[in-house]
Amino acid sequence: MFVPVILGSDKTTVSVATGNNEYYPLYASIGNIHNNVRRAHRNSVVLIAFLAIPKSKFEFNFIAFT
Amino acid sequence: MPAPEINDLMDIWAAQALKHDDHPPFADYQDLYSTVDVTPLADVPWQSFTASFQGERPDGEVPPWMDGQYDIWFRDPLSVVRNMVGNPDFDGEFDYTPFWEFEPSGERRLQDFFSGNWAWSQVVSRVFCAPFVLISHFGLEQHF
């Protein structure tokens, strides 16, 4: 069966515990599910990862992490 | 709830439901237990690993993020997707193959992901389909 995976992230960060660690949430869904169901959530969009956000105190050229 | 009480509850439920020509969700406690036992959907466990910058460091002052260790938390994407595909909640609201859909006016109807061009082009070979499109087109014209 053809199951296209849809990934999405959010600029909104998630803080864990003390707030020192911030993460970008990464969501996954599949293209087979009808749009109206995806909008109504119902487990059709699932949180699959928290991506770490390396912090910098300087301005750099965005090479390594973009 | 102890097994005998589950049985009592289902009996009462059955008596009530009978009026509406309906039946309780489970016949008895064994039916309930076996339903729970075969439920395949479970939360996919979270895992984590630590990542750090592996590239070349610049001369002079090294920016702190290059030396940092970063935790990445994730759930096995294949298991998550497998759960979604197997979730009976989506029955009837789930497409198995890409399709083209048309309004009565003949206008293409684009709604769900599988009605779009991208999904179609992933699965369908133009070379393979061209003769069939021609045949069906010809057939339609004859029909009208």
Side-chain angles (χ1 to χ4, degrees):
Chain A
M1 188 169 64
F2 175 46
V3 182
V5 176
I6 301 169
L7 293 176
S9 190
D10 200 327
K11 250 177 113 176
T12 314
T13 55
V14 178
S15 309
V16 178
T18 56
N20 279 335
N21 292 319
E22 282 191 319
Y23 296 90
Y24 287 125
L26 182 68
Y27 300 95
S29 184
I30 54 176
N32 311 68
I33 298 171
H34 289 179
N35 285 349
N36 58 320
V37 181
R38 196 174 300 110
R39 270 185 232 112
H41 291 279
R42 284 169 48 190
N43 293 326
S44 53
V45 179
V46 176
L47 187 59
I48 60 160
F50 290 106
L51 304 176
I53 307 169
K55 289 241 177 84
S56 173
K57 40 179 191 174
F58 309 107
E59 289 291 323
F60 290 104
N61 297 324
F62 294 113
I63 306 166
F65 275 91
T66 50
Chain B
M1 187 184 280
E5 286 187 21
I6 294 175
N7 282 348
D8 289 348
L9 178 66
M10 289 307 144
D11 284 345
I12 296 165
W13 199 324
Q16 289 292 318
L18 195 65
K19 286 187 225 164
H20 313 289
D21 208 18
D22 206 354
H23 51 82
F26 306 101
D28 52 22
Y29 80 92
Q30 279 162 326
D31 186 26
L32 188 147
Y33 288 173
S34 58
T35 305
V36 172
D37 287 345
V38 299
T39 303
L41 293 179
D43 263 352
V44 181
W46 285 93
Q47 306 170 63
S48 83
F49 62 88
T50 304
S52 57
F53 180 67
Q54 299 293 313
E56 221 169 282
R57 282 162 170 71
D59 296 330
E61 195 180 357
V62 176
W65 65 262
M66 285 191 180
D67 293 322
Q69 302 261 322
Y70 301 98
D71 290 335
I72 294 172
W73 285 89
F74 71 102
R75 299 202 274 189
D76 177 33
L78 186 61
S79 306
V80 169
V81 168
R82 207 169 262 156
N83 272 359
M84 274 191 220
V85 172
N87 189 339
D89 281 357
F90 301 140
D91 186 28
E93 298 172 307
F94 193 97
D95 294 320
Y96 296 89
T97 51
F99 57 90
W100 281 36
E101 199 173 27
F102 296 91
E103 303 285 357
S105 62
E107 204 181 333
R108 176 92 178 272
R109 186 164 176 250
L110 296 164
Q111 184 171 352
D112 295 315
F113 198 82
F114 270 37
S115 65
N117 289 331
W118 185 86
W120 182 269
S121 66
Q122 298 310 300
V123 173
V124 182
S125 149
R126 274 164 211 270
V127 180
F128 180 76
C129 276
F132 292 99
V133 171
L134 282 173
I135 290 165
S136 72
H137 194 70
F138 186 61
L140 271 178
E141 276 182 332
Q142 274 194 329
H143 183 75
F144 284 116

